[in-house]
């Protein structure tokens, strides 16, 4: 069980990253009377200037308000944030959070459905102070131990890799909807795992039981695996799921909260795999979908199972992910073409986005609007980069910045690197400006100076 720790290896992180030039021979420098020091740092902009032989990237901690990383064993391709009772919009350190994730292990029997509690998360300023004080012989080892980040994991065996996890609150239940690679969509009650990560006594009993994950409900009607799934933010327990054969099913909760009625008539206007689904944050019966067929569609479950609106060539290749703005009529999309597009739903039928950005050099793997600032969003790509954007920024003064920065769009706030094969990211809805991302190399939890 690994706790989140500060990064100690050379990394590529950014708003402003430092690139260490290759060390020169010190003796030669002295003989030549050169005044420049070895290791002079430069600003590194991904995709603008490639690294040269002997150059490496180092993290600039001053660009972060908080940064931690952790491992959960087998990689998690998907996770979701579990809301807690610690309050909204919190910023004061130390922070804590609850996450639910599912693994993609080497064998079906090795997979786990995980609830994790990260706590005692301090900011980078605290870490810097501790590093400075560590040289003082009077430092108390116990105090240093108390200041380390902590993590508890409550894991249950799950047969089959977990493609996607989404969590909702339904009364006293914390429910996780899980898309399994075995072609099942399952619903799990997370309460036993949540109790375990919040109590050492409950954790001891939980570990002793060592039960396999048993779903409250399971649906095999898709007949194939899928990735797209989303809980309604307006109707507790309402769910929508989409598969790799293009079919979408809407789930309606039955009284009691332990079973669902699923319409066997699929929503099927797409002609290829459905990659992502998002309920409208304001209209209880409306949801959006995106597909390998390059289209984005808007649906109303009160109408016949055909989409109301569509952008048939939204991207030039697969549309992988979408995110619906909570406060504005905007939909964000990311595709295999590496493009990020912002759609005004009032002009959706025109087929033209109101904004398009090409900063990533590989397919987009995740996008999400900030839950706190409606003009801010984040995206991740297969180029191992996480980008932060602010659409409210129209221009910036770059007269004193490096020439390479002029090539960046003014709306781009921050570029974060260091993870390998970033799969999914989420803003924490209750912690100001905090992003969590999962990759084959593990989780990152961070807040930049930009948000």
């Amino acid at each position: 069980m690994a706790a989140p720790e500060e990064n100690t290896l050379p990394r590529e992180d950014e708003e402003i990253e430092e690139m260490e030039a290759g060390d020169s021979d010190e003796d030669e420098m002295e003989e030549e009377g050169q005044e420049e020091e070895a290791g002079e740092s430069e600003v590194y902009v991904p995709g603008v200037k490639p690294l040269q032989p002997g150059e490496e990237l180092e993290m600039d901690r001053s660009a972060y308000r908080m940064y931690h990383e952790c491992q959960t064993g087998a990689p998690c391709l998907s996770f979701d944030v579990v809301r807690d009772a610690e309050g909204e919009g919190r910023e004061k350190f130390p922070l804590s959070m609850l996450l639910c994730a599912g693994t993609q292990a080497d064998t079906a029997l090795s997979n786990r459905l995980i609830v994790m509690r990260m706590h005692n998360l301090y900011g980078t300023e605290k870490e810097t102070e501790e590093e400075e004080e560590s040289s003082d012989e009077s430092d108390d080892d116990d105090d240093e131990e108390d200041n380390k980040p902590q993590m508890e994991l409550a894991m249950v065996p799950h047969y089959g890799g977990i493609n996607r996890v989404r969590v909702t609150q339904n009364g006293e239940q914390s429910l996780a909807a899980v898309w399994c690679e075995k072609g099942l969509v399952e619903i799990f009650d997370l309460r036993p795992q949540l109790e375990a990560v919040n109590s050492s006594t409950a954790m001891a009993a939980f570990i002793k039981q060592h039960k396999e994950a048993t779903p409250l409900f399971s649906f095999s009607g898709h007949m194939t695996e899928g990735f797209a799934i989303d809980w309604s933010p307006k109707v507790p327990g309402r769910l929508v799921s989409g598969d790799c054969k293009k079919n979408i099913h809407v789930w309606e909760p039955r009284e009691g909260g332990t079973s669902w009625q699923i319409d066997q008539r699929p929503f099927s206007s797409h002609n290829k795999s459905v990659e992502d689904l998002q309920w409208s944050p304001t209209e209880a019966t409306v949801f959006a979908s995106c597909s390998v067929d390059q289209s984005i569609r808007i649906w109303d479950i009160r109408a016949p199972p055909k989409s109301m609106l569509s952008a048939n060539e939204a991207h030039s290749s697969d549309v992988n992910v979408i995110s619906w703005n909570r406060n504005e009529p905007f939909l964000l999309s990311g595709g295999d073409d590496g493009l990020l597009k912002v759609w005004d739903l009032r002009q959706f039928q025109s087929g033209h986005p109101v904004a398009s950005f090409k900063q990533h050099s590989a397919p987009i793997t995740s996008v999400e609007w900030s839950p706190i600032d409606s003009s801010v969003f984040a995206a991740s790509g297969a180029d191992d980069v996480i980008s932060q954007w602010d659409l409210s920024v129209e221009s910036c003064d770059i007269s004193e910045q490096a020439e390479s920065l002029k090539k960046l769009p003014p709306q781009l706030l921050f570029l974060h690197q260091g993870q390998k094969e970033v799969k999914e990211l989420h803003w924490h809805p209750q912690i100001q400006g905090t992003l969590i991302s999962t990759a084959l190399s593990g989780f990152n939890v961070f807040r930049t100076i930009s948000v």
Side-chain angles (χ1 to χ4, degrees), residues 56-343:
E56 62 180 22
L57 299 178
E58 289 189 357
M59 179 181 182
D60 180 3
R61 285 194 171 273
S62 66
Y64 292 82
R65 302 187 191 192
M66 177 176 67
Y67 174 82
H68 298 281
E69 59 182 25
C70 71
Q71 300 281 344
T72 55
C76 299
L77 301 189
S78 180
F79 75 98
D80 205 0
V81 178
V82 183
R83 296 186 71 93
D84 56 39
E86 299 297 321
E88 305 296 318
R90 57 188 190 263
E91 295 184 81
K92 186 177 180 180
F93 296 112
L95 294 166
S96 66
M97 63 182 65
L98 295 167
L99 306 178
C100 177
T103 66
Q104 280 273 348
D106 293 335
T107 64
L109 290 170
S110 300
N111 285 289
R112 301 289 184 268
L113 179 65
I114 304 170
V115 169
M116 63 185 85
R117 176 174 174 253
M118 301 180 187
H119 57 107
N120 216 40
L121 304 178
Y122 281 96
T124 51
E125 290 184 4
K126 175 76 174 178
E127 294 165 2
T128 302
E129 291 172 3
E130 290 171 1
E131 288 172 2
E132 292 175 353
E133 294 172 358
S134 64
S135 59
D136 191 337
E137 295 180 359
S138 64
D139 280 349
D140 187 1
D141 291 340
D142 292 336
D143 289 342
E144 290 182 5
E145 187 68 26
D146 290 342
N147 289 331
K148 288 184 178 179
Q150 304 292 325
M151 181 169 70
E152 280 78 48
L153 300 176
M155 303 187 289
V156 290
H158 181 276
Y159 183 69
I162 294 174
N163 293 345
R164 193 158 291 175
V165 176
R166 291 293 180 263
V167 176
T168 191
Q169 194 74 23
N170 187 13
E172 295 183 356
Q173 293 177 315
S174 290
L175 301 176
V178 170
W179 241 126
C180 175
E181 66 179 359
K182 300 300 180 182
L184 299 175
V185 181
E186 303 163 311
I187 309 297
F188 294 91
D189 187 345
L190 299 179
R191 281 180 293 181
Q193 288 169 272
L194 289 169
E195 290 172 3
V197 297
N198 282 290
S199 164
S200 57
T201 303
M203 178 65 80
F206 179 84
I207 294 173
K208 187 175 181 179
Q209 292 174 356
H210 196 66
K211 290 184 178 180
E212 186 174 349
T214 304
L216 281 176
F217 188 84
S218 181
F219 176 59
S220 59
H222 279 287
M223 306 298 289
T224 186
E225 73 171 321
F227 293 84
I229 196 167
D230 193 38
W231 291 103
S232 168
K234 302 294 291 183
V235 180
R238 178 176 284 173
L239 185 73
V240 63
S241 57
D243 61 45
C244 294
K245 284 187 176 177
K246 79 180 179 61
N247 293 322
I248 299 170
H249 290 276
V250 173
W251 305 38
E252 294 292 349
R254 289 175 172 168
E255 189 175 351
T258 58
S259 64
W260 282 258
Q261 176 66 43
I262 303 169
D263 195 335
Q264 296 302 310
R265 298 175 303 163
F267 293 77
S268 55
S269 292
H270 288 294
N271 56 51
K272 292 183 180 178
S273 173
V274 178
E275 298 296 281
D276 201 6
L277 292 161
Q278 281 267 295
W279 285 101
S280 165
T282 57
E283 301 291 334
T285 61
V286 176
F287 68 88
S289 64
C290 66
S291 169
V292 170
D293 66 12
Q294 305 178 15
S295 72
I296 300 173
R297 299 182 184 275
I298 310 296
W299 313 74
D300 192 323
I301 62 176
R302 297 170 298 182
K306 297 290 182 182
S307 59
M308 298 187 303
L309 304 172
S310 65
N312 290 326
E313 296 181 357
H315 287 256
S316 60
S317 54
D318 304 7
V319 189
N320 298 328
V321 283
I322 51 177
S323 178
W324 203 314
N325 195 296
R326 300 188 186 192
N327 301 306
E328 303 292 341
F330 294 143
L331 194 72
L332 174 65
S333 65
D336 264 3
D337 52 12
L339 287 172
L340 296 166
K341 295 188 177 185
V342 180
W343 305 85

Side-chain angles (χ1 to χ4, degrees), residues 331-449:
L331 194 72
L332 174 65
S333 65
D336 264 3
D337 52 12
L339 287 172
L340 296 166
K341 295 188 177 185
V342 180
W343 305 85
D344 188 334
L345 294 174
R346 295 165 297 189
Q347 308 168 20
F348 190 66
Q349 285 291 76
S350 71
H352 300 294
V354 294
S356 182
F357 303 103
K358 176 62 173 172
Q359 182 63 35
H360 290 271
S361 60
I364 304 300
T365 59
S366 188
V367 294
E368 189 168 280
W369 291 100
S370 164
I372 296 173
D373 189 333
S374 60
S375 67
V376 172
F377 68 85
S380 64
D383 54 0
D384 300 338
V385 175
I386 293 174
S387 56
Q388 292 180 341
W389 304 77
D390 187 348
L391 296 184
S392 67
V393 178
E394 296 181 358
S395 62
C396 63
D397 181 8
I398 57 174
S399 59
E400 296 182 0
Q401 297 180 9
E403 183 70 23
S404 61
L405 295 181
K406 295 181 181 179
K407 300 180 181 180
L408 299 176
Q411 294 85 1
L412 180 61
L413 297 179
F414 200 101
L415 295 174
H416 169 84
Q417 292 182 264
Q419 291 175 285
K420 295 190 181 300
E421 297 192 40
V422 186
K423 298 299 183 181
E424 193 168 275
L425 60 79
H426 294 295
W427 297 92
H428 197 292
Q430 298 172 281
I431 303 178
Q432 182 77 29
T434 296
L435 270 174
I436 308 107
S437 57
T438 186
L440 291 187
S441 56
F443 283 85
N444 276 190
V445 178
F446 62 95
R447 183 183 179 186
T448 72
I449 59 173

